[in-house]
């Protein structure tokens, strides 16, 4: 990968960051004043403090970083607020559902699910998190291919997303599929950590590449069997695997899970400060992404969920 000689800052000025957080719209400024205490406003003001110590400026490390590959306009709070008004999501539904896919057997799977549920409950304080019984991938109509950079089978994310959309519980705010199997979003991409269906509140994320067990080279051809037979074989391989997730790797699983659920709640990717809502095109970028949102994305999340910042951080 082409490295920059030195990491370069990607930053906005204090005025732009303040307007992104508080808005220039008087109605949204009033909403900000009512939503947060004096101490909470002091905390959030770190977003536009030139001598900030709590939140960091974005850095560009390689010529292939997500920031350079996706030069989109950043989403400020006002843009998010009006998008949510058009969306008309049913936030009276208070359940986040986690749908494991071939992720039940073995101590690694169980400890991973417990950790993820606990993390999501804290991250989205005030919402209830339910973990559904695991389902085999062989029961989902899902295309697959052999990975270009490993000897593992990859699943097409769209088949999983369609299954989740058609089986979403009535009281679900959103449903996120969780799998140890590698995913790809389309033929031109080598892999993806996650994908969601806009407007449907369903998504799926893979933890395959966060495990030291994930192979990095050596492809073999697919056996000449039917898709159903092959998916049954992949399903059994997944259930029999015991991935040794370290504490650091568990944090990465928590990151991608919370990142994707934020998308399901309407938050876009972030280009303001270092933030869990940054995009990632490589494992290196995903590892460097922080677990917490920047102040601008935190305000968006608070607007949706309604928690008190002090209680959430406690």
């Amino acid at each position: 990968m082409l490295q920059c000689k030195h990491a370069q800052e990607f930053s906005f000025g204090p005025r732009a960051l303040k307007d992104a957080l508080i808005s220039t719209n008087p109605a949204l400024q009033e909403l900000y004043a009512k939503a947060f205490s004096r101490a909470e406003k002091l905390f959030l003001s770190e977003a536009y403090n030139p001598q900030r110590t709590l939140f960091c400026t974005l850095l560009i490390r390689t010529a292939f970083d997500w920031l350079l590959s996706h030069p989109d306009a950043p989403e400020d709070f006002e843009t998010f607020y009006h998008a949510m008004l058009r969306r008309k999501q049913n936030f009276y539904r208070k359940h986040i559902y986690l749908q494991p896919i071939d992720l039940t057997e073995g101590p690694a799977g169980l400890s991973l699910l417990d950790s993820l549920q606990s993390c999501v409950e804290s991250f989205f304080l005030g919402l209830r998190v339910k973990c559904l019984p695991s389902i085999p991938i062989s029961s989902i109509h899902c295309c697959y291919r052999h990975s270009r950079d490993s000897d593992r089978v990859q699943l097409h994310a769209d088949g999983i997303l369609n299954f989740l959309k058609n089986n979403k519980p009535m009281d679900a705010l959103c449903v996120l599929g969780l799998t140890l199997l590698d995913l790809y979003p389309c033929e031109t991409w080598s892999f993806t950590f996650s994908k969601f269906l806009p407007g449907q509140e369903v998504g799926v994320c893979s933890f395959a590449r966060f495990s030291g067990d994930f192979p990095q080279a050596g492809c073999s051809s697919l056996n000449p069997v039917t898709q159903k037979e092959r998916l049954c074989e992949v399903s059994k391989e997944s259930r029999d695997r015991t991935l040794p997730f370290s504490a650091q790797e568990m944090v990465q699983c928590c990151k991608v899970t919370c990142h994707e659920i934020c998308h399901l709640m309407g938050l876009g990717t972030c280009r303001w400060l270092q933030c869990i809502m940054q995009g990632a095109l490589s494992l290196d970028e995903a590892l460097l992404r922080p677990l917490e949102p920047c102040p601008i994305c935190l305000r968006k999340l608070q607007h949706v969920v309604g928690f008190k910042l002090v209680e959430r951080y406690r």
Side-chain angles (χ1 to χ4, degrees):
M1 184 172 287
L2 181 61
Q3 298 285 335
C4 296
K5 290 183 180 179
H6 302 284
Q8 300 175 5
E9 286 194 352
F10 180 93
S11 60
F12 293 88
R15 180 57 184 271
L17 290 165
K18 184 175 182 179
D19 289 347
L21 173 67
I22 302 176
S23 177
T24 57
N25 184 322
L28 296 185
Q29 291 176 349
E30 184 178 357
L31 182 65
Y32 179 84
K34 291 180 178 178
F36 302 108
S37 68
R38 182 179 178 181
E40 290 171 333
K41 291 173 191 171
L42 182 62
F43 173 73
L44 293 172
S45 71
E46 280 287 290
Y48 52 88
N49 179 2
Q51 285 78 44
R52 73 177 72 90
T53 57
L54 296 179
F55 301 96
C56 299
T57 302
L58 286 167
L59 297 175
I60 297 175
R61 294 177 172 83
T62 79
F64 303 100
D65 277 12
W66 171 80
L67 279 169
L68 297 180
S69 302
H70 293 74
D72 309 314
E75 180 189 68
D76 57 18
F77 179 79
E78 183 171 348
T79 302
F80 167 79
Y81 178 84
H82 290 300
M84 294 303 292
L85 290 179
R86 294 190 297 271
R87 190 174 179 182
K88 297 179 180 178
Q89 192 169 6
N90 295 318
F91 284 105
Y92 63 85
R93 299 174 181 173
K94 294 293 186 180
H95 290 95
I96 296 172
Y97 281 94
L98 304 179
Q99 175 60 77
I101 301 169
D102 280 330
L103 216 171
T104 54
E105 296 182 4
L110 289 174
S111 62
L112 175 61
L113 290 175
D114 289 344
S115 298
L116 289 173
Q117 183 168 354
S118 177
C119 177
V120 173
E121 286 174 343
S122 298
F123 196 98
F124 302 95
L125 185 67
L127 300 180
R128 293 184 287 275
V129 182
K130 290 187 176 181
C131 195
L132 297 168
S134 182
I135 55 173
I137 190 61
S138 55
S139 67
I140 300 174
H141 181 68
C142 185
C143 297
Y144 66 88
R145 72 179 186 189
H146 229 285
S147 173
R148 301 170 185 173
D149 58 2
S150 77
D151 62 353
R152 298 288 173 87
V153 168
Q154 289 181 301
L155 304 175
H156 197 302
D158 286 357
I160 299 174
L161 293 175
N162 287 328
F163 173 86
L164 296 175
K165 179 184 71 174
N166 295 330
N167 293 274
K168 184 167 62 174
M170 293 296 293
D171 62 345
L173 178 60
C174 60
V175 181
L176 183 66
L178 310 173
T179 182
L180 297 177
L181 299 165
D182 205 25
L183 300 174
Y184 70 101
C186 59
E187 291 299 330
T188 56
W189 283 49
S190 59
F191 76 97
T192 187
F193 295 111
S194 58
K195 189 177 181 182
F196 69 99
L197 275 182
Q200 299 296 328
E201 291 82 47
V202 297
V204 60
C205 57
S206 166
F207 307 134
R209 293 175 183 253
F210 296 135
S211 169
D213 181 67
F214 189 82
Q216 298 301 321
C219 293
S220 59
S221 60
L222 290 173
N223 295 326
V225 296
T226 66
Q227 176 165 311
K228 184 175 181 180
E229 289 172 334
R230 181 55 180 159
L231 286 180
C232 286
E233 180 182 335
V234 172
S235 178
K236 184 178 185 300
E237 289 174 0
S238 175
R239 290 194 305 271
D240 290 345
R241 286 168 66 195
T242 56
L243 298 189
F245 283 103
S246 66
Q248 183 180 18
E249 291 163 350
M250 294 279 272
V251 171
Q252 303 309 321
C253 295
C254 290
K255 285 183 192 178
V256 71
T257 298
C258 293
H259 173 99
E260 204 61 20
I261 294 174
C262 283
H263 276 320
L264 300 183
M265 293 186 176
L267 277 72
T269 49
C270 179
R271 301 170 64 83
W272 298 110
L273 296 164
Q274 289 189 30
C275 177
I276 191 173
M277 294 311 295
Q278 290 169 230
L281 296 180
S282 67
L283 181 59
D284 287 342
E285 278 193 293
L287 295 176
L288 291 169
R289 187 164 56 191
L291 178 59
E292 274 297 293
C294 72
I296 297 162
C297 291
L298 182 59
R299 185 186 178 189
K300 298 173 189 176
L301 191 60
Q302 190 278 337
H303 178 72
V304 171
V305 182
F307 49 70
K308 294 293 184 182
L309 299 192
V310 172
E311 293 177 4
R312 179 180 180 274
Y313 276 94
R314 184 181 291 124

